[in-house]
Amino acid sequence: MAEEKQPPHREATYEELIALPAHVVGELLEGELVASPRPASPHSAASFALAMELGGPFQRGRGGPGGWWFFNEPELHFGKNVLVPDLAGWRHSRMPVRSDTPHFTLAPDWVCEVLSPSTARIDRTVKKRIYARHGVEYVWLVDPVLRILEVLQRHEGRWLEKGSWSGNARVRAEPFEALELELEALWFSESPEPG
């Protein structure tokens, strides 16, 4: 009995990605179109809080060394892959001037993926592989539900865990070890913020 031939796999296109509705985040990962729902409150709160914590000392040089550019949900084009991390940062030494562009082809020095139930598996597998292949030096994985920060550094094409912290720990995490980061500031709370 002859085996049925499968039709050749068709890679998703950028045109299909931009045709997605505005209420989803679309990415092209290894030829597949991946659409994820917009993030829930704990995810958004963690991403915003982390951007606030890093922006002053590392982008503006207020109370820190400066030397970085940060972007919220930048579109990264790595060949046929199109990724949208929650946050990404470039050292000024590699990106001397922020460019007004719809997407970036220069790999960031650092990306942060805030994990959601719908994206955690992809963030931990496919996206990490693509980031390593294209030269991203650091990946932070932030889990706002479990309240965990994981820091990974690329070494010889593989990810090495530099640290993992949880709860209300105060940490100095690479590449931003000049700042003591209070993890409590990242976690969603329904009670009013102090102050």
Side-chain angles (χ1 to χ4, degrees), residues 52-89:
M52 285 183 30
E53 292 290 321
L54 297 178
F58 293 97
Q59 182 164 301
R60 303 201 59 203
R62 291 186 175 170
W68 286 80
W69 299 120
F70 295 105
F71 292 88
N72 181 55
E73 293 187 350
E75 190 171 293
L76 308 176
H77 287 223
F78 298 150
K80 293 181 178 181
N81 293 297
V82 177
L83 295 87
V84 182
D86 293 292
L87 296 166

Side-chain angles (χ1 to χ4, degrees), residues 135-174:
V136 174
E137 186 178 0
Y138 289 94
V139 170
W140 283 18
L141 300 172
V142 174
D143 188 324
V145 175
L146 297 178
R147 298 181 174 202
I148 296 172
L149 166 65
E150 297 171 63
V151 174
L152 307 168
Q153 183 179 22
R154 184 178 47 81
H155 178 72
E156 298 178 357
R158 301 178 60 91
W159 293 111
L160 298 178
E161 185 177 305
K162 300 299 285 187
S164 182
W165 301 271
S166 63
N168 298 332
R170 298 168 78 94
V171 303
R172 292 189 181 273
E174 293 179 42

Side-chain angles (χ1 to χ4, degrees), residues 40-130:
S41 298
H43 180 289
S44 295
S47 183
F48 180 74
L50 184 56
M52 285 183 30
E53 292 290 321
L54 297 178
F58 293 97
Q59 182 164 301
R60 303 201 59 203
R62 291 186 175 170
W68 286 80
W69 299 120
F70 295 105
F71 292 88
N72 181 55
E73 293 187 350
E75 190 171 293
L76 308 176
H77 287 223
F78 298 150
K80 293 181 178 181
N81 293 297
V82 177
L83 295 87
V84 182
D86 293 292
L87 296 166
W90 286 259
R91 288 184 171 97
H92 287 181
S93 60
R94 291 188 57 245
M95 182 190 284
V97 177
R98 280 191 291 191
S99 55
D100 180 5
T101 179
H103 64 268
F104 298 92
T105 56
L106 177 66
D109 295 289
W110 168 84
V111 296
C112 177
E113 294 288 358
V114 180
L115 306 177
S116 296
S118 62
T119 65
R121 182 183 56 79
I122 291 169
D123 291 339
R124 289 184 174 283
T125 58
V126 178
K127 290 179 80 172
K128 274 179 37 187
R129 281 195 304 271
I130 296 169

Side-chain angles (χ1 to χ4, degrees), residues 178-194:
L179 169 72
E180 183 176 71
L181 180 63
E182 299 176 30
L183 292 187
E184 184 175 20
L186 307 183
W187 313 137
F188 183 78
S189 172
E190 293 181 6
S191 59
E193 291 292 319

